[in-house]
Amino acid sequence: MAKVGEEKLSAQQLIALEEKYGAHNYHPLDVVITRASGVWVWDVEGNRYLDFLAAYSAVNQGHCHPKIVEALKAQAERVTLTSRAFRNDQLGPLCQQLSELTGFAKFLPMNSGAEAVETAIKAARKWGYTVKGVPRDQAEIIAFEGNFHGRTTTIVGFSTEEQYREGFGPFTPGFRVVPYGDLEAVASAINQNTVAVLVEPIQGEGGIIVPPAGYLKGLRELTQKHGVLLVVDEIQSGLGRTGKLFAYEHEGIRPDIVIIGKALGGGCVPISGILADDEVMGVFRPGDHGSTFGGNPLACAVARVALKVLVEEGMIENSARLGDYFLERLRAIASPHVKEVRGKGLWIGVELVPEAGGARRFCESLQKEGLLCKETHVNTIRFAPPLVITRDELDWALERIAKVLTS
Ligand SMILES: *Cc1c(COP(=O)(O)O)cnc(C)c1O
């Protein structure tokens, strides 16, 4: 057997291996990537593509950012895993850095986004019982139609996407789902047992759905009035994607719990977690919750540099500036296939008219033009390049997008 990473197999052979021996829980574009740098990726045949998905915003800092890779290598040679049975010298500094950056008192580290959402659900429920005084096992959490918060059984239980639920029940009770963007609906769903409202500031997997202006502010006022926690899932919208560190900043609010993940690991390692102040984080006592890999020194060392370069190298400002430009240029493309172009920062959805035949075929055409992106739902193309993209690279992409959308 060849050394891992040195197999010389053709794209067709590699695809066949994956199809034969791997579970079929995804339907990827047939491009087999073997290396990447910044906004570019190369397939095994040597073709170069501009990555317009950035691993669902987990690679905001660009592929293989030299400073992040340097931190990864250096930490890999020192210590990678201690478990939380012992302490390590990377977790404390990461928590401090996050606190100073975001203004929240404490951080609780996990690994995947879904785990961090589960952590927020547990925090909100326990806060409900121990601080708010909700009767045992009666806590309710309000979530939204079109939500995406991950794939665990509890989380898919309140998804409104039939395929995400079908065959996986029975589900966890305690969730109420209301229409997204409608404050009245939330107001009438709140009762004395409501402990939290769990919301994406912009629905990503739902199709880059931007709620009406003032919506998050309205949610903040409603939740404050009724003694309910506002839990914001910033796993995809956060860390610069929308042109601010967090998308909720666009409305000048401060949530009670912020869920982060994806780009926190700089595209190198899974690391996620929740941010909150002491009133909420204080509900966790030793033994209440945990994770073997959560807070491991390798992920913490990487996250420290991932956050540092995001801020110091101006990626958030770049997202705001080029995002506005990109949105404007996309809207100027006269295409019979386009129904709506929407988004914030470098996070843009192009919704096609139903007669266009679905977004997938446009993604396949863009792939032939050297641009990798992915449809979300049937009719929306999602554009989310790494935040290190330059204006020239964006123009290069726009030329190809215009060609595909108008042919
Ligand atoms: C990706 C995502 C998740 C789940 O993260 P995983 O790391 O895939 O478990 C949760 N919420 C939002 C908004 C996401 O985009």
Side-chain angles (χ1 to χ4, degrees), residues 347-384:
W347 202 27
I348 294 175
V350 175
E351 186 177 339
L352 306 173
V353 294
E355 309 81 68
R360 173 92 185 184
R361 75 179 179 93
F362 289 89
C363 293
E364 286 165 354
S365 300
L366 286 167
Q367 180 191 345
K368 293 197 186 87
E369 296 291 326
L371 211 70
L372 294 182
C373 49
K374 185 79 169 75
E375 75 276 11
T376 174
H377 284 235
V378 178
N379 288 320
T380 303
I381 313 172
R382 165 187 13 208
F383 295 129

Side-chain angles (χ1 to χ4, degrees), residues 2-290:
K3 222 167 121 192
V4 171
E6 287 183 357
E7 298 91 345
K8 282 284 172 276
L9 298 177
S10 72
Q12 284 320 312
Q13 288 172 313
L14 290 162
I15 291 168
L17 283 184
E18 192 179 314
E19 290 298 308
K20 182 165 181 206
Y21 296 108
H24 293 183
N25 59 325
Y26 274 91
H27 179 31
L29 289 179
D30 281 334
V31 52
V32 184
I33 295 167
T34 185
R35 87 191 153 86
S37 174
V39 297
W40 300 98
V41 301
W42 286 263
D43 70 13
V44 289
E45 284 148 357
N47 302 307
R48 187 182 78 153
Y49 304 87
L50 192 52
D51 180 358
F52 249 58
L53 179 65
Y56 300 95
S57 296
V59 192
N60 283 357
Q61 298 89 343
H63 288 277
C64 302
H65 188 293
K67 288 183 180 153
I68 299 176
V69 171
E70 190 188 305
L72 177 76
K73 284 181 175 167
Q75 190 61 41
E77 290 179 348
R78 274 199 301 272
V79 58
T80 52
L81 186 59
T82 55
S83 86
R84 297 290 301 278
F86 311 129
R87 298 182 191 269
N88 71 67
D89 63 0
Q90 297 299 313
L91 177 58
L94 172 64
C95 294
Q96 177 188 29
Q97 192 181 342
L98 277 166
S99 180
E100 286 172 3
L101 186 62
T102 66
F104 287 93
K106 286 189 166 61
F107 177 61
L108 191 166
M110 299 296 284
N111 311 285
S112 70
E115 281 177 307
V117 173
E118 292 274 354
T119 303
I121 291 167
K122 287 170 87 171
R125 284 181 169 177
K126 194 157 188 211
W127 172 88
Y129 299 128
T130 59
V131 179
K132 182 168 173 163
V134 171
R136 189 191 167 105
D137 290 346
Q138 297 299 305
E140 286 183 13
I141 293 174
I142 296 171
F144 296 92
E145 289 173 10
N147 75 72
F148 184 83
H149 298 289
R151 301 292 202 152
T152 63
T153 47
T154 288
I155 292 170
V156 297
F158 57 87
S159 171
T160 53
E161 191 62 31
E162 202 38 53
Q163 196 198 348
Y164 296 175
R165 299 163 51 88
E166 187 55 39
F168 300 126
F171 299 117
T172 312
F175 297 92
R176 293 187 60 162
V177 177
V178 304
Y180 186 66
D182 178 355
L183 285 173
E184 282 302 309
V186 178
S188 42
I190 291 178
N191 62 41
Q192 70 278 12
N193 293 336
T194 308
V195 295
V197 169
L198 170 61
V199 68
E200 295 159 85
I202 290 175
Q203 287 186 332
E205 303 305 303
I208 322 287
I209 308 294
V210 184
Y215 181 61
L216 286 182
K217 213 168 173 184
L219 285 181
R220 177 69 288 184
E221 282 161 14
L222 258 180
T223 47
Q224 214 138 36
K225 184 169 142 207
H226 293 279
V228 169
L229 300 178
L230 181 60
V231 182
V232 175
D233 182 346
E234 292 268 8
I235 291 171
Q236 194 166 164
S237 57
L239 304 183
R241 179 48 60 188
T242 70
K244 300 263 189 201
L245 180 65
F246 292 123
Y248 67 75
E249 292 170 28
H250 289 287
E251 300 218 336
I253 64 151
R254 192 165 188 279
D256 301 296
I257 300 179
V258 183
I259 311 171
I260 55 177
K262 292 200 166 113
L264 184 59
C268 288
V269 292
I271 175 169
S272 67
I274 67 167
L275 291 158
D277 287 335
D278 289 316
E279 179 185 310
V280 172
M281 210 68 102
V283 303
F284 288 119
R285 287 162 311 159
D288 280 355
H289 186 52

